[in-house]
Amino acid sequence: MGQPSHEAGGEGRRERLVVGWFSFTCCEDSTILLTEMLNDHLEGWLRVVEFRHMKSLKTNNSLEGLDVAFVEGAISSDSQAAEARKIRESAEHVVAVGACACTGKPSTSRNQFEDEQIDERIRWYLEHFDYGVNVVPLDEVIRVDDMVRGCPMKAQAFLQTLEKYLKLYEVA
Amino acid sequence: MAARNIVIETISKIEGNAGLEVVVEGEAVKDLRFKITDYRRFLTVAARGKRMNAVPSFLSRICGTCSVAHLFASLMAIENSQGIEVTEQTKALRRLAYDGLMIRDHALHLYFFVLPDVLGVDSIFDIPDDPDAPGHALLRDSFDIKRLGTDISNATVGAAIHAPYPTVGGFLKPPDHAKFPELLGRLEAVRPQVLRGIEAFLEWDASLVRNSDYLCLRNEERFDFLDGDVTDSNGERISEERFKEYLQYVQIPHSHAEGYRFSGTEEDYLVGALARLNLNHDVLHPRTRADAADAVSVFPSDNVYHNNLAQAIEILQCVDDAIDILNDLRVSEEKPARPDPRARMGASLIEAPRGLLYHSATVSAEGIVEGYDVVVPTAQNQINIENDLRYHFEQNLDKDDESLRLDAEGIIRAYDPCMSCATNFLKMEMTRR
């Protein structure tokens, strides 16, 4: 990982790290764990982090000028892939969060389905909406700078990754 | 009248992906589509071919926030298929863990998703760190309440999300009962904070009243999420065997999730805390009934926003129930019951935080799962949500678009929907012609 770009997000030094949090195909357990971590960290984080995009907790969201995008979930369709690419373009760094984003599993289960497992009801959904042929982990669609693994993500690993970016951007 | 298109990119503070499209022509709602847009993962199909003991943990991945509900429903379905009767200790520990789940899950919805609506702010991030600021005390209360729910789960089943201790027939590992005395103290200490939350949601005057039918579990002995018979608003009891035929599966062209309505009348119905309080308020814990009497007296109610108040009351119910369990529980070492597998189908019906949850498993003589089915609460509520929204729009077309958008968000949020079980966005498109 290189030094923060001065073009996308302005000066390398920040008063607050600008963060986005996104979810694709998964059970969103890492989002839930994050809301639990807010019990202990909300006040401290708000001093050093601006949550600019976090649909789980905010109505007014923006993709502009993200320093770090944390992305949970696997990619199930072309439209999700396009959305992921948009996030990649908007953020200087992208961190895959949780098992589905990092490995695809267990959301990739349907990749292994045999024809006889796909009954009429499943086929209707696959054909009626824009399901991709396969479900894939995030790094098969966009470049990923870091991974926070676990199902849900390991809380300590998330804290270490956040700390790493706070230092990188010289947030006090 | 000139055509008017309104697109709202993001309505958040719900769990999962959903969309809303509204077309208004003149003074009438021409079309309204509530769309669940989460991509399906077909985990119940993927469960086929797995050993039955591995399936509950796998299916807890259906949902991040109520993973314990899916875990327990799956355990109970498989146990029923195998004729396994778990011990009283296992039942008590599951009840305790479930109290922890409800406390944390309801508090997340009420304080992190709905409270900003009550305060008129965008998010919890906008509540100033000032003890005199509106919402400051409630938000701090929520940290203690949520943390307590999580710690109950951690001590009892090993984790609040994808718990590792429970297994078919009992527990792989005993609970950390050394933590029980401390939890007991914290449960008593948190009651005033929970009551402050109930008061806040009682005072909130948001309202949408529409005739609805309700469906939930009922236990004549006590307010119970895991043990009881399904009952409807008319008092009719529906057995597990009849449950699937009592409901009519509806494929909704604009939604990734199926809907359900009553097969006899083809009418919509509502599941969740509002249904539970409407049909079970008489069996709430005596302390809950006494200390939250004003709030409890609101029920039965047909105001969908009272699902929030019902959840707030259920937090107190779970606190009081957990206190009773911890006062009585003496944990002894037990091994999980593991008879030889038998070929059989088994089902379970429990109350997830958002309403009735059905699991059924067909197991082979070798202990392999050959078929699996799940009916989740939000799928059951989907048609009711759409009809509530249609009703509200029809009654309020004189309102400006921004007000209608905010109302729609509030109505949907009141249901605490769980699309793929956490949060993404709801995109609303409204066309006026």
Side-chain angles (χ1 to χ4, degrees):
Chain A
M1 187 178 65
Q3 289 299 304
S5 159
H6 288 213
E7 292 172 9
E11 296 300 314
R13 188 184 182 89
R14 301 275 189 280
E15 284 192 13
R16 293 199 295 171
L17 188 71
V18 181
V19 162
W21 183 277
F22 305 86
S23 284
F24 289 103
T25 301
C26 60
C27 74
E28 299 180 350
D29 49 10
S30 296
T31 298
I32 299 303
L33 182 59
L34 183 77
T35 64
E36 284 308 292
M37 294 175 76
L38 288 171
N39 297 340
D40 297 316
H41 294 283
L42 178 68
E43 286 164 13
W45 283 351
L46 286 184
R47 283 194 286 273
V48 294
V49 175
E50 178 194 340
F51 294 98
R52 189 167 288 180
H53 197 294
M54 195 176 195
K55 287 170 180 171
S56 50
L57 294 177
K58 294 178 62 183
T59 300
N60 297 320
N61 294 288
S62 169
L63 279 173
E64 286 185 20
L66 299 180
D67 295 325
V68 188
F70 292 93
V71 181
E72 180 185 30
I75 303 300
S76 289
S77 68
D78 287 347
S79 56
Q80 283 193 336
E83 205 177 329
R85 283 192 286 271
K86 197 171 168 188
I87 292 166
R88 177 71 266 185
E89 288 166 11
S90 305
E92 292 193 33
H93 299 93
V94 172
V95 179
V97 171
C100 288
C102 294
T103 71
K105 294 177 181 174
S107 290
T108 50
S109 294
R110 76 169 166 87
N111 298 353
Q112 280 78 49
F113 286 177
E114 304 291 341
D115 277 352
E116 60 267 24
Q117 286 179 282
I118 302 174
D119 61 18
E120 204 174 307
R121 195 183 285 189
I122 295 174
R123 197 174 303 282
W124 184 86
Y125 285 104
L126 295 178
E127 291 174 355
H128 199 76
F129 298 98
D130 70 330
Y131 285 80
V133 174
N134 283 321
V135 182
V136 296
L138 188 63
D139 66 358
E140 288 194 23
V141 176
I142 59 171
R143 182 170 54 83
V144 168
D145 300 293
D146 271 301
M147 290 190 180
V148 179
R149 296 177 186 274
C151 181
M153 67 174 182
K154 300 295 179 197
Q156 196 57 36
F158 174 76
L159 289 172
Q160 287 169 354
T161 304
L162 183 62
E163 187 63 30
K164 170 182 167 177
Y165 285 102
L166 288 170
K167 282 184 181 163
L168 184 69
Y169 285 94
E170 302 174 43
V171 177
Chain B
M1 183 178 286
R4 196 144 60 116
N5 298 339
I6 300 165
V7 178
I8 301 168
E9 284 295 337
T10 305
I11 301 175
S12 60
K13 293 170 281 179
I14 59 168
E15 292 176 288
N17 292 309
L20 179 65
E21 287 183 10
V22 186
V23 178
V24 176
E25 281 189 1
E27 298 304 313
V29 176
K30 181 75 175 174
D31 194 19
L32 187 147
R33 296 179 178 192
F34 174 63
K35 304 189 291 188
I36 292 178
T37 56
D38 266 2
Y39 286 85
R40 297 177 76 113
R41 293 179 296 152
F42 306 110
L43 292 188
T44 53
V45 178
R48 294 178 203 159
K50 293 187 187 297
R51 298 204 66 81
M52 64 179 176
N53 293 342
V55 165
S57 173
F58 177 72
L59 290 181
S60 84
R61 267 74 185 175
I62 290 173
C63 177
T65 189
C66 59
S67 67
V68 171
H70 285 283
L71 176 66
F72 283 8
S74 184
L75 289 173
M76 292 163 74
I78 288 172
E79 286 162 358
N80 287 340
S81 78
Q82 300 303 299
I84 296 171
E85 185 69 32
V86 298
T87 64
E88 291 303 314
Q89 178 174 298
T90 288
K91 287 179 186 173
L93 287 171
R94 285 182 182 174
R95 236 177 81 205
L96 179 60
Y98 220 74
D99 286 333
L101 161 69
M102 288 286 180
I103 290 167
R104 180 197 56 76
D105 194 286
H106 283 354
L108 171 65
H109 172 243
L110 291 174
Y111 295 90
F112 278 34
F113 298 169
V114 183
L115 180 61
D117 289 349
V118 178
L119 299 172
V121 298
D122 181 56
S123 82
I124 58 167
F125 300 139
D126 300 307
I127 298 172
D129 187 14
D130 170 0
D132 295 327
H136 182 274
L138 287 169
L139 185 60
R140 269 68 195 168
D141 288 346
S142 80
F143 299 156
D144 293 334
I145 295 166
K146 286 165 73 247
R147 195 183 292 114
L148 178 56
T150 294
D151 288 348
I152 290 170
S153 299
N154 288 341
T156 313
V157 292
I161 305 170
H162 311 323
Y165 296 174
T167 189
V168 173
F171 279 76
L172 291 169
K173 191 176 170 188
D176 187 355
H177 53 86
K179 290 187 176 157
F180 285 178
E182 184 232 342
L183 291 174
L184 198 49
R186 285 168 62 192
L187 283 160
E188 283 291 352
V190 87
R191 291 187 89 253
Q193 294 171 291
V194 175
L195 284 163
R196 182 153 50 192
I198 292 171
E199 190 66 27
F201 286 100
L202 177 61
E203 287 175 2
W204 194 32
D205 60 359
S207 177
L208 171 63
V209 175
R210 187 177 71 87
N211 289 328
S212 287
D213 286 314
Y214 305 97
L215 203 61
C216 72
L217 218 59
R218 179 172 172 83
N219 182 330
E220 297 295 340
E221 303 288 316
R222 62 172 180 245
F223 199 96
D224 205 317
F225 301 104
L226 296 174
D227 186 16
D229 301 322
V230 174
T231 187
D232 66 14
S233 303
N234 299 319
E236 185 186 348
R237 300 299 172 99
I238 301 106
S239 66
E240 282 169 5
E241 293 73 29
R242 277 186 59 218
F243 183 71
K244 284 298 292 285
E245 68 187 48
Y246 186 74
L247 305 182
Q248 184 181 62
Y249 172 92
V250 181
Q251 202 167 53
I252 299 174
H254 50 268
S255 179
H256 286 247
E258 70 274 20
Y260 293 89
R261 58 191 174 202
F262 292 141
S263 54
T265 61
E266 297 195 345
E267 288 183 355
D268 59 7
Y269 65 98
L270 183 151
V271 297
L274 180 59
R276 293 190 291 258
L277 260 290
N278 278 348
L279 303 185
N280 290 330
H281 58 88
D282 60 315
V283 288
L284 283 164
H285 192 286
R287 286 185 78 188
T288 304
R289 261 188 292 154
D291 292 346
D294 288 350
V296 173
S297 71
V298 166
F299 299 93
S301 167
D302 288 324
N303 178 359
V304 73
Y305 283 94
H306 282 157
N307 195 55
N308 299 313
L309 179 61
Q311 286 191 345
I313 294 169
E314 284 190 339
I315 291 176
L316 187 62
Q317 159 68 31
C318 290
V319 166
D320 290 335
D321 188 57
I323 290 170
D324 283 357
I325 295 170
L326 287 170
N327 275 325
D328 294 341
L329 190 62
R330 300 290 175 270
V331 179
S332 59
E333 196 167 326
E334 291 182 345
K335 298 283 183 203
R338 288 284 172 83
D340 290 337
R342 68 181 193 187
R344 194 79 173 268
M345 197 277 266
S348 67
L349 269 163
I350 66 172
E351 287 284 341
R354 291 155 193 81
L356 270 178
L357 173 63
Y358 172 85
H359 276 230
S360 74
T362 303
V363 180
S364 74
E366 291 74 37
I368 303 297
V369 168
E370 295 182 325
Y372 210 97
D373 200 7
V374 172
V375 179
V376 300
T378 296
Q380 294 177 75
N381 278 338
Q382 191 175 189
I383 295 172
N384 210 72
I385 291 171
E386 197 167 84
N387 289 339
D388 270 2
L389 290 166
R390 178 181 290 276
Y391 176 80
H392 181 77
F393 273 79
E394 284 172 345
Q395 301 296 311
N396 292 279
L397 284 176
D398 55 326
K399 284 190 174 183
D400 61 54
D401 296 338
E402 178 64 9
S403 299
L404 287 172
R405 181 184 70 83
L406 290 172
D407 290 350
E409 288 178 280
I411 291 163
I412 293 165
R413 208 171 281 133
Y415 277 87
D416 189 12
C418 184
M419 311 309 177
S420 89
C421 304
T423 326
N424 279 296
F425 69 99
L426 173 65
K427 178 189 281 186
M428 177 175 130
E429 295 182 31
M430 180 167 163
T431 305
R432 286 186 192 258
R433 293 174 184 151

